[in-house]
């Protein structure tokens, strides 16, 4: 027998749910530093050695650490309370970024040390990414999923916009070390907020091995053709867009528009992402279409091509804004479709395969972007990368399962079903213990 619950009007706002409010605050705190860190690290490496190859190695090391441990992170997040995983991974990242900041500020940093620290940070990312993607459906009822994804994205995008512009100014004014210190602080603040989430302890019917969990996640991933086709497309997108923009973008900026102005370009992309996610948050019960999201992912190709062909501030600002619109829509559409179509108990493992496929090529792209630019020139390398984005997206759209995936049906929560992450009156939800026991209280 289900315990009786008090009937009430269904919630129409994500802000009615404590767990979502905490999750939103934690993600915003995390993004406050994350927005600054890539700019700071890129220019710290250029100041240290001036080598694009060294920059690619350090940036790629973090992605490599993420890829190596990602499947383990997905299994862990489907086994234990996701808030605990998120808290501890942010503590590790905070400590790593604090060490990197000290090395940069003291002038004692070396490529070898920065590569090692980036690998550790990537390992922490591997634990947090599947947990962060799987935790959102536990904080709101199903009808609010798209609204929650859009609101969460809009908050992160707002902070991303302010952080990138302010971070570029901070780096230009006082140096990249202080930007890295901001990232370290934000990670530790986010860890405290994640620890306060009241999520149910994950209970398994019977113990299983790690390998069995990995296989089960693979079966859930491959069961959806639209899912793995898009992930395959993103393998090309990550190597062609993310790798070139993070490695070659700062180099182009140094030669043309300047470091502070590069922050404005990244900020324009964040404005586009913010605008579209705010619009989708206001229309929270209308399903986001995956095929429209894939069309939107064509827009980032414009920014890559502009960097190669017309690296003027006005052109870069416009193409970055359009790029943000496309990325923002896709981000909400992708998250909502996954959460609506994949069982919650498999969600973090499916996200780990999604991330593995999407990010697998990033370390390679970041490592080879510099040598390719040296061999063929910045312009030719960027034009080739932009063309690859277009080809990958069109290939995915050619698959009927991607084009015709129905919009998510976000029906009302069934009568008598408890809201995710909230306690039923008269009951104690596992995980409702004091915050001191819900997460870490001391650093490792």
């Amino acid at each position: 027998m289900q315990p009786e619950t008090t009937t009430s009007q269904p919630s129409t706002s994500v802000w009615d749910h404590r767990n979502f409010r905490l999750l939103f605050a934690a993600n915003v705190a995390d993004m406050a530093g994350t927005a600054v860190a890539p700019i700071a690290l890129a220019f710290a490496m250029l100041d240290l050695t001036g080598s694009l190859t060294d920059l690619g190695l350090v940036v790629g090391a973090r992605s490599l650490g993420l890829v190596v441990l990602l499947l383990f992170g997905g299994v862990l997040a489907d086994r234990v309370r996701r808030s605990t995983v998120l808290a501890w991974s942010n503590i590790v990242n905070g400590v790593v970024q604090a060490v990197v900041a000290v090395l940069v500020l003291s002038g004692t940093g070396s490529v070898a040390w920065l590569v090692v620290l980036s690998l550790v940070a990537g390992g922490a990312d591997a634990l947090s990414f599947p947990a962060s993607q799987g935790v959102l459906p536990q904080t709101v009822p199903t009808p609010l999923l798209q609204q929650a994804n859009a609101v969460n994205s809009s908050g992160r995008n707002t902070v991303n916009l302010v952080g990138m512009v302010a971070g570029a100014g901070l780096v230009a004014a006082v140096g990249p070390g202080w930007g890295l210190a901001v990232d370290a602080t934000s990670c530790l603040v986010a860890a405290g907020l994640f620890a306060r989430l009241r999520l149910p302890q994950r209970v398994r019917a019977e113990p299983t091995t790690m390998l069995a969990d990995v296989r089960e996640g693979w079966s859930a991933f491959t069961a959806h053709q639209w899912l793995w086709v898009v992930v395959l497309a993103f393998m090309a997108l990550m190597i062609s867009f993310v790798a070139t923009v993070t490695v070659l973008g700062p180099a182009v900026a140094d030669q043309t528009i300047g470091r502070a102005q590069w922050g404005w370009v990244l900020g324009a992309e964040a404005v586009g992402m913010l605008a579209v996610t705010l619009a989708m948050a206001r229309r929270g019960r209308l399903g986001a279409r995956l095929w429209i999201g894939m069309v939107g992912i064509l827009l980032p190709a414009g920014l890559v091509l502009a960097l190669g062909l017309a690296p003027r501030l006005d052109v870069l600002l416009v193409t970055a804004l359009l790029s943000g619109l496309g990325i923002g829509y896709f981000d909400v559409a992708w998250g909502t479709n996954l959460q609506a179509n994949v069982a919650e108990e498999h969600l973090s493992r499916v996200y780990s395969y999604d991330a593995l496929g999407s990010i697998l090529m990033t370390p390679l792209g970041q490592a080879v972007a510099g040598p390719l630019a040296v061999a063929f020139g910045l312009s030719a390398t960027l034009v080739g990368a932009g063309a690859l984005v277009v080809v990958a997206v069109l290939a995915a759209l050619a698959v009927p399962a991607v084009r015709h995936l129905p919009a998510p049906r976000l029906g009302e929560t069934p009568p008598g079903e408890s809201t995710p992450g909230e306690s039923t009156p008269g009951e104690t939800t596992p995980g409702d213990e004091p915050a001191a026991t819900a997460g870490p209280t001391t650093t490792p």
Side-chain angles (χ1 to χ4, degrees):
M1 294 277 299
Q2 289 286 338
E4 291 187 20
T5 58
T6 303
T7 58
S8 60
Q9 292 294 325
S11 172
T12 59
S13 173
V14 294
W15 301 114
D16 294 337
H17 303 278
R18 173 190 180 275
N19 277 339
F20 180 81
R21 294 194 300 269
L22 281 171
L23 178 65
F24 179 85
N27 285 332
V28 165
D30 185 31
M31 181 54 69
T34 302
V36 178
I39 302 172
L41 182 61
F43 289 122
M45 287 304 304
L46 291 176
D47 288 343
L48 180 65
T49 68
S51 168
L52 289 176
T53 300
D54 289 342
L55 172 58
L57 288 173
V58 172
V59 174
R62 184 161 187 158
S63 297
L64 182 60
L66 170 60
V67 167
V68 169
L69 292 179
L70 197 52
L71 294 182
F72 170 76
V75 170
L76 184 66
D78 278 342
R79 284 189 171 200
V80 303
R81 190 180 289 122
R82 287 167 178 149
S83 54
T84 303
V85 176
L86 288 167
W88 279 102
S89 61
N90 271 271
I91 284 180
V92 173
N93 259 328
V95 172
V96 167
Q97 290 299 83
V99 173
V100 174
V102 169
L103 291 176
V104 172
L105 287 169
S106 64
T108 58
S110 66
V111 174
W113 268 112
L114 293 176
V115 165
V116 170
L117 290 168
S118 290
L119 280 169
V120 176
D125 291 341
L127 302 184
S128 67
F129 184 81
S132 67
Q133 298 300 321
V135 75
L136 187 141
Q138 294 183 286
T139 65
V140 295
T142 301
L144 298 181
L145 274 181
Q146 181 179 313
Q147 186 186 69
N149 279 293
V151 169
N152 189 51
S153 293
S154 64
R156 291 174 63 88
N157 292 336
T158 300
V159 178
N160 194 33
L161 168 61
V162 175
M164 285 190 297
V165 175
L170 179 68
V171 169
V174 297
W178 291 108
L180 295 166
V182 168
D183 187 33
T185 303
S186 75
C187 285
L188 297 177
V189 171
L193 291 168
F194 282 127
R196 296 185 61 201
L197 284 170
R198 294 175 182 170
L199 302 181
Q201 179 66 47
R202 307 194 68 76
V203 179
R204 302 177 67 85
E206 57 185 29
T208 58
T209 65
M210 181 73 67
L211 183 58
D213 280 357
V214 169
R215 288 174 176 168
E216 186 178 52
W218 175 253
S219 296
F221 174 76
T222 56
H224 304 280
Q225 186 187 28
W226 58 268
L227 197 162
W228 58 260
V229 166
V230 173
V231 169
L232 283 176
F234 264 77
M235 292 179 69
L237 288 165
M238 296 299 284
I239 193 172
S240 56
F241 178 71
V242 177
T244 53
V245 170
T246 57
V247 176
L248 302 184
V252 172
D254 258 354
Q255 297 176 11
T256 55
I257 61 175
R259 295 185 176 188
Q261 286 68 31
W262 178 240
W264 285 98
V265 172
L266 297 179
E269 186 175 63
V271 167
M273 295 173 67
L274 174 61
V276 74
T277 51
L278 284 174
M280 295 179 80
R282 291 176 63 86
R283 303 170 66 210
R285 291 181 182 270
L286 298 180
R289 299 301 298 269
L290 180 61
W291 73 266
I292 299 177
M294 288 304 296
V295 171
I297 289 297
L298 286 171
L299 296 176
L303 175 58
V304 180
L305 292 171
L307 282 168
L309 299 175
R312 302 195 313 268
L313 183 59
D314 55 346
V315 175
L316 293 175
L317 287 173
V318 171
T319 54
L321 178 66
L322 294 174
S323 175
L325 289 172
I327 293 172
Y329 186 96
F330 177 83
D331 182 48
V332 176
W334 184 244
T336 305
N337 276 281
L338 278 178
Q339 293 156 8
N341 290 288
V342 176
E344 190 275 334
E345 64 268 20
H346 299 144
L347 195 53
S348 286
R349 279 169 287 174
V350 168
Y351 269 118
S352 70
Y353 279 108
D354 165 26
L356 181 64
S358 300
I359 300 173
L360 190 60
M361 301 304 291
T362 301
L364 175 62
Q366 290 169 328
V368 304
L372 285 175
V374 171
F376 300 104
L378 275 172
S379 179
T381 302
L382 288 162
V383 169
L388 184 57
V389 171
V390 175
V391 171
V393 172
L394 294 180
L397 285 170
V399 177
V402 175
R403 292 198 313 275
H404 302 312
L405 183 71
R409 297 181 181 225
L410 306 179
E412 295 293 339
T413 305
E417 181 177 308
S418 300
T419 298
E422 305 289 345
S423 298
T424 302
E427 289 187 286
T428 301
T429 300
D432 277 358
E433 59 267 51
T437 61
T441 56
T442 59
T443 56

